[in-house]
Amino acid sequence: MLKYKINLALVFWLISLSAFAQFKLYERGHDSYTAGKYEDAIRNFSEYLTKYTRDKSLDVEVYYLRALAYYKSNNFKDAVPDFEEALLLGHANKGNIYWFKAKCQAQNGLDKDAISDYTSALRELGSDKTIKAKLLYERGLLYYKTGNQVAAKEDFQTGLLLNPGNADLTREFNKLGNVTIAARNTQEANSSTSQPVIKKDETKVKEDNKVKKSEPGGTTNTTPVTATSEPAQPSLAEFYKDEKRYALVIGNAAYPKNIGALRNPVNDATDMAKELQASNFEVDLLTNATYGQMRAALLKFKDHIESSDPEKTVALFYFAGHGLRHEDENYLVPIDAAVEYEDDISRYCFPAQRMVLANMERSNARMNIMILDACRNNPFPALNRSVEQGLGEMRRARGSFIAYATAPGSVASDGNGRNGLYTQELLKAIRKPGLTIEQVFKEVRANVLRLSGDRQNTWDSSNIIGEFYFKFK
């Protein structure tokens, strides 16, 4: 027993020593960045990120500072993915991150992406008039470069309303003197400016509502008002007509031999995207996606839901492909995942809870739906000791509905037809009008259980408020 206690103490001491050494890497990276030694900062931060037992709560700051170090070293290409990682991990300084990312995209010749990032920066930093004018100036230059002179002049004009007399804005605006633009809503430039509310004369309203009839003998009587029926209740389609629906759908099948190719996910994702479009979703579909492609698509998805009215927005994420559970996190496997060792999982696979669900929840959309048909066999059998079977149940916040192809800790078959069994039955249930989301997934569960001979039990967990219908009556 004494020997056991001594060995255990030694293990804890070694772990503590390792954690301290890794934190020193972070400190050296931070100190190097502050001192303007950007190459040293990049080297220390990069080494820190390879450490399996590092404090992952620091990752968001490490990616941000390494991105800035790349930016200040004029390495704009490598700065972009690090800025994206910092955004996906929820860095508090996201307005400036979008601004730096926009500058990098412009330097990389990706003007369309740069304009999109400037738009996101304006959304986050628009309360400061001086900063907003600067952003509009820089976005306007990109619009001009890409041939959109109307949009360029609109940006320069709005910038001048915010910062009158600015020499750069005045110069660029005057260059476009012959370009005609539509009348602008100056409320964007000055939120305190508002149009007067025109009220109908109350006396006239009363007279309009009082219908009179002249009777013989000089008397005037009010015409009896005919009773009207109660107004009809709006239909489900009318009630939800202003709802904005966004979906990111990913299907990965073309994995290399060491991971194992799958038969159905591309078909599953393609058919799901088509069905969601028929249910009024704006859908971004990816098939056989790399880590970088998944990250870029998620950022676009994040921007969509963050820029919409949260009380009228529904966000849906669907993934079909290889998935695994490691250290209390579910990971989605891109087709280029180069996983040889345990610490490669967090670097080359996509954390569903920490990046996907967390960003959906931060948007405050009224409902976030995550559907994971990713409970197949372990894609990395060499790491059997550290990779748990199937996926695990994830923590959920208000307004989240999370659906799994099978129960936590279990696996589902890939399927023999066009679609996997789970998605096959989900597509059928979605097409039925008038079903709430809970009714849809109950029907899926019953059918999958029946068709699998009680071997595959689907699973969902919910903390939603309000109702959702894929199809209205």
Side-chain angles (χ1 to χ4, degrees):
M1 180 63 72
L2 180 60
K3 182 179 179 181
Y4 172 78
K5 288 181 178 179
I6 291 173
N7 288 339
L8 191 59
L10 180 61
V11 169
F12 284 132
W13 180 77
L14 289 172
I15 291 172
S16 299
L17 189 63
S18 175
F20 177 76
Q22 290 164 23
F23 184 74
K24 293 300 289 183
L25 278 173
Y26 167 78
E27 281 190 325
R28 286 200 294 269
H30 185 279
D31 292 344
S32 296
Y33 175 80
T34 304
K37 299 177 181 178
Y38 301 125
E39 294 301 324
D40 288 343
I42 291 167
R43 184 175 61 256
N44 282 296
F45 286 142
S46 298
E47 186 177 353
Y48 176 84
L49 289 169
T50 66
K51 302 302 182 183
Y52 170 62
T53 58
R54 70 184 185 275
D55 180 1
K56 292 183 176 63
S57 67
L58 292 174
D59 283 7
V60 62
E61 192 66 19
V62 170
Y63 279 116
Y64 177 54
L65 291 176
R66 191 174 71 171
L68 289 174
Y70 279 132
Y71 175 83
K72 293 183 178 183
S73 303
N74 295 324
N75 185 347
F76 305 111
K77 182 179 179 181
D78 287 335
V80 169
D82 274 7
F83 280 131
E84 290 176 343
E85 292 286 343
L87 284 169
L88 290 172
L89 289 171
H91 198 286
N93 202 17
K94 59 183 179 180
N96 281 323
I97 292 176
Y98 277 119
W99 194 350
F100 278 116
K101 185 166 170 271
K103 290 174 177 289
C104 290
Q105 301 284 36
Q107 290 288 340
N108 292 332
L110 302 172
D111 295 332
K112 183 178 178 181
D113 292 333
I115 289 170
S116 175
D117 285 325
Y118 271 117
T119 302
S120 296
L122 280 162
R123 183 185 70 236
E124 300 296 334
L125 300 172
S127 59
D128 186 308
K129 290 185 177 183
T130 303
I131 291 177
K132 188 172 184 179
K134 177 67 172 173
L135 288 165
L136 286 165
Y137 169 70
E138 293 180 8
R139 189 177 70 173
L141 291 177
L142 283 171
Y143 275 133
Y144 182 81
K145 179 184 175 183
T146 56
N148 192 343
Q149 294 186 344
V150 172
K153 190 169 184 180
E154 286 179 338
D155 273 2
F156 297 143
Q157 180 189 49
T158 305
L160 282 170
L161 290 170
L162 292 162
N163 192 2
N166 180 280
D168 291 332
L169 286 163
T170 301
R171 181 187 65 250
E172 298 301 327
F173 181 79
N174 289 337
K175 280 183 184 178
L176 298 170
N178 295 327
V179 176
T180 302
I181 59 177
R184 292 187 58 82
N185 178 5
T186 57
Q187 188 172 2
E188 179 184 0
N190 185 357
S191 59
S192 63
T193 303
S194 59
Q195 297 297 320
V197 178
I198 301 174
K199 294 184 177 180
K200 195 172 183 179
D201 182 76
E202 292 182 2
T203 304
K204 184 66 169 65
V205 171
K206 290 177 181 178
E207 290 300 322
D208 289 344
N209 290 336
K210 188 177 181 183
V211 182
K212 296 184 177 181
K213 179 179 180 181
S214 179
E215 298 288 347
T219 59
T220 303
N221 295 323
T222 302
T223 303
V225 178
T226 305
T228 58
S229 60
E230 289 292 325
Q233 292 296 317
S235 65
L236 284 175
E238 291 170 334
F239 188 80
Y240 290 102
K241 64 183 176 64
D242 295 326
E243 187 171 73
K244 300 296 182 184
R245 299 178 167 194
Y246 300 104
L248 173 56
V249 177
I250 302 175
N252 285 348
Y255 292 100
K257 287 183 179 180
N258 63 312
I259 296 178
L262 296 172
R263 183 183 299 107
N264 303 117
V266 168
N267 292 339
D268 290 340
T270 302
D271 294 349
M272 181 59 66
K274 183 178 179 181
E275 196 56 48
L276 290 174
Q277 286 173 334
S279 294
N280 302 319
F281 277 89
E282 182 179 321
V283 181
D284 189 9
L285 170 65
L286 270 74
T287 57
N288 294 324
T290 63
Y291 185 97
Q293 290 169 334
M294 289 173 67
R295 180 185 57 219
L298 183 60
L299 278 169
K300 180 181 176 183
F301 179 54
K302 175 176 179 284
D303 285 345
H304 273 313
I305 58 181
E306 284 185 346
S307 60
S308 297
D309 181 352
E311 295 302 318
K312 297 179 180 179
T313 301
V314 173
L316 186 149
F317 177 85
Y318 172 93
F319 179 83
H322 275 306
L324 64 133
R325 183 166 180 79
H326 175 62
E327 284 199 325
D328 297 323
E329 173 66 274
N330 291 321
Y331 287 92
L332 311 179
V333 184
I335 63 165
D336 61 344
V339 175
E340 295 183 34
Y341 305 102
E342 200 169 334
D343 59 334
D344 290 333
I345 294 172
S346 61
R347 283 191 285 163
Y348 299 120
C349 299
F350 216 82
Q353 172 97 39
R354 194 160 52 101
M355 282 192 177
V356 184
L357 188 59
N359 277 294
M360 292 169 74
E361 290 172 348
R362 277 193 287 266
S363 73
N364 289 320
R366 84 167 186 90
M367 191 168 295
N368 297 301
I369 304 166
M370 174 179 276
I371 305 171
L372 300 177
D373 192 356
C375 309
R376 294 169 171 85
N377 59 298
N378 176 10
F380 309 116
L383 304 178
N384 232 359
R385 292 182 180 178
S386 61
V387 176
E388 300 173 45
Q389 177 171 280
L391 300 182
E393 189 167 7
M394 292 187 286
R395 176 193 58 79
R396 59 201 180 281
R398 179 183 70 85
S400 295
F401 188 99
I402 309 170
Y404 308 83
T406 191
S410 303
V411 294
S413 62
D414 191 26
N416 296 315
R418 174 176 172 81
N419 300 115
L421 178 58
Y422 178 69
T423 294
Q424 168 191 298
E425 295 308 310
L426 179 55
L427 289 168
K428 292 177 183 176
I430 286 176
R431 295 182 185 120
K432 294 187 176 182
L435 296 183
T436 65
I437 188 170
E438 293 93 343
Q439 290 171 327
V440 164
F441 284 93
K442 282 180 181 178
E443 181 159 320
V444 172
R445 183 177 301 114
N447 290 336
V448 170
L449 269 172
R450 176 175 54 82
L451 293 171
S452 67
D454 289 339
R455 289 189 300 272
Q456 184 172 336
N457 182 26
T458 70
W459 195 266
D460 51 71
S461 59
S462 171
N463 196 15
I464 62 175
I465 297 173
E467 300 291 355
F468 176 79
Y469 302 84
F470 286 97
K471 287 282 193 303
F472 304 117
K473 290 181 180 178

